Amino acid sequence: MKEDLVNILASIVGEENVKSDIIDRYCYSMDASIYKSIPDVVVFPQTTDQVVEIMKLANTNEIPVTPRGAATGLCGGAVPIEGGIVVDLTQMNKILEIDLDNFCVRVEPGVIQLQLNQELKKQGFFFPPTPGSKKMCTIGGMISTNAGGMTAVKYGVTRNFVLGLKVVLASGEVLSLGGKTLKRSLGLDLTQLFIGSEGTLGIITEALLRIIPLPEETAVIVAPFEDINEAAKAVNSVLNHTIPTAIEIMDRGIIKAVNAYVPELNLPEVDALLYFEIGGTPEEVKKQTELIVETCKKHKSNNVQWTSDPSEKQMLWQGREAAGGAIMNLDKRLVRVYEAEDVCVPISKVPEMVKRFQEISKKYGVPVGLYGHAGDGNIHSGVLIDVRNPEEWQKLKKLTGEVYETAMSLGGNISAEHGIGVLRAGWMDRILGEGLHYVKKIKKVFDPKGILNPGKLGI
């Protein structure tokens, strides 16, 4: 990038908020995915007005712009594929307003999910969407990918809690969308259009979020199953009578990996482990706990454990929370690669998807451990390969294709909460069909020069 343009950026955000050294730029060349691409410059705006001026400069000079939060994404969504400007929004991290009377909170995009909930907890409220990266991920990133997490089975995903947005378009124009009302019927909803758009239509600089009261009490139930089909039947039976906050699943491979990673947990090495979390009044929690425990026992689960004690709950959750970090223990000679890691199928198809995934794993000789959100059919995988071996990458590509085709054949899709980014961009015509043509038209309306997060979403 020309030095004069870098100087203009420095005049907008301050010299201390511009990084153009190669070492600094390299640090912003990647997210948590397999992709890397070095930007020409990184800027750290602190106000909407500064983002406006950045976008005006970029639009006039047709410079690619990649919005970035905590970069915990797994699909290359925050990777500057075409270089240009990375707009790091992490310094826009203020909680601007907590309005308990209207059950909402107004925040800047760099606010961390966990920090938001720590503040809301003081008031007896919370923001339900809870990704596994909650300690690091930003609200802006959650909105951009429509993040989900464990609580989605009961509360829904991020889009269900976004009431309004302030968005800076490619031209520098600012849109203020939505408001504090919990209901509206005003035709096409532009607020929802920006959710999940991964920064390809505009840069979010404020968000108005719905919040709800914390439950009085919560409980955790862990049930082992020798047959994953019985586990699936138990999930369906439970959902026919009550909606837990979370229903999580781990397959045999992940259980073994967790036991190697945290031996003191000594999890039962069965076909499937189900984790349930429930919340409500003490009476509701007691009633739901009894229902879920009895349902699991009817479906051949022995040694079901449950508790509402805070310290004991944490102990029971440790197994599921360790799943992501434990995956390397499937084979310590190999490295986890984030491919085929976020498929989603109808709830009743979870056992078939798991078994077919395991069969595909054996077919290509690629170790895989499976876990995820059984309550909404979202399956995550830990796929391990020797990243130094080109043949392993070829096998991974074939495995990924078969996994995606299998999920679609079962009525599912290729991403439930991690997004598209670069990783799945090539699959969008297969997923959307003729719809992709209209998505590209929408992109053209908001970003005629194609400068916002190019190379993402297949548009």
Side-chain angles (χ1 to χ4, degrees), residues 321-378:
E321 291 178 344
I327 285 166
M328 298 284 278
N329 286 281
L330 288 169
D331 190 328
K332 293 183 179 180
R333 300 167 300 173
L334 306 178
V335 174
R336 182 179 188 180
V337 178
Y338 286 98
E339 291 259 16
E341 89 301 344
D342 188 38
V343 295
C344 193
V345 295
I347 295 170
S348 64
K349 300 294 184 181
V350 167
E352 187 174 352
M353 185 69 226
V354 169
K355 288 190 174 182
R356 289 175 69 174
F357 206 136
Q358 291 169 338
E359 289 168 0
I360 295 168
S361 165
K362 290 178 183 177
K363 175 181 176 180
Y364 291 104
V366 176
V368 173
L370 302 174
Y371 61 104
H373 315 309
D376 53 30
N378 184 190

Side-chain angles (χ1 to χ4, degrees), residues 309-429:
D309 178 85
S311 60
E312 291 177 1
K313 283 189 298 183
Q314 188 175 357
M315 285 292 295
L316 286 184
W317 264 123
Q318 276 188 28
R320 171 60 183 88
E321 291 178 344
I327 285 166
M328 298 284 278
N329 286 281
L330 288 169
D331 190 328
K332 293 183 179 180
R333 300 167 300 173
L334 306 178
V335 174
R336 182 179 188 180
V337 178
Y338 286 98
E339 291 259 16
E341 89 301 344
D342 188 38
V343 295
C344 193
V345 295
I347 295 170
S348 64
K349 300 294 184 181
V350 167
E352 187 174 352
M353 185 69 226
V354 169
K355 288 190 174 182
R356 289 175 69 174
F357 206 136
Q358 291 169 338
E359 289 168 0
I360 295 168
S361 165
K362 290 178 183 177
K363 175 181 176 180
Y364 291 104
V366 176
V368 173
L370 302 174
Y371 61 104
H373 315 309
D376 53 30
N378 184 190
I379 300 169
H380 297 316
S381 69
V383 180
L384 301 178
I385 66 169
D386 180 352
V387 294
R388 301 164 298 180
N389 186 342
E391 292 181 3
E392 292 274 285
W393 286 99
Q394 289 300 316
K395 288 197 294 184
L396 177 62
K397 184 177 181 180
K398 292 177 181 177
L399 176 145
T400 299
E402 288 197 27
V403 167
Y404 287 166
E405 292 290 352
T406 299
M408 289 186 287
S409 73
L410 296 175
N413 60 61
I414 63 174
S415 179
E417 58 187 18
H418 293 171
I420 301 300
V422 186
L423 182 65
R424 286 179 268 268
W427 282 83
M428 293 306 285
D429 57 345

